[in-house]
Amino acid sequence: MKHIDYPYAPNPVRVRSDGSFTQGFVASACISAFQDVAHPDSKADYQRILRHGLQGGAALAAGSHAAHSLRRGDYT
């Protein structure tokens, strides 16, 4: 369903993503994948890799957005 912008409705703030979550996800997952074992092959290994990837992606995205806000002088 297409979003319709009404002239009387306030425009939603649209923040363009810079891809920092994806970059953090891939980097963290790659580091986690080969950190302790030569080749991950169990379900627990894959869950650990996914968990570390999600944590790294969220951390890099949050840090990047905070840095952009500080650069603009938006301290809230």
Side-chain angles (χ1 to χ4, degrees), residues 9-69:
N11 284 336
V13 177
R14 294 187 178 136
V15 179
R16 186 172 177 190
S17 176
D18 59 354
S20 57
F21 176 81
T22 306
Q23 293 171 352
F25 179 86
V26 171
S28 297
C30 287
I31 290 171
S32 180
F34 301 107
Q35 192 170 30
D36 295 330
V37 294
H39 181 44
D41 58 354
S42 69
K43 184 177 179 182
D45 287 337
Y46 290 127
Q47 288 175 341
R48 175 182 52 86
I49 293 166
L50 178 62
R51 185 178 68 247
H52 289 169
L54 290 172
Q55 289 172 349
L60 185 60
S64 297
H65 288 290
H68 290 299
S69 294

Side-chain angles (χ1 to χ4, degrees), residues 3-12:
H3 177 71
I4 300 171
D5 288 327
Y6 294 101
Y8 54 83
N11 284 336

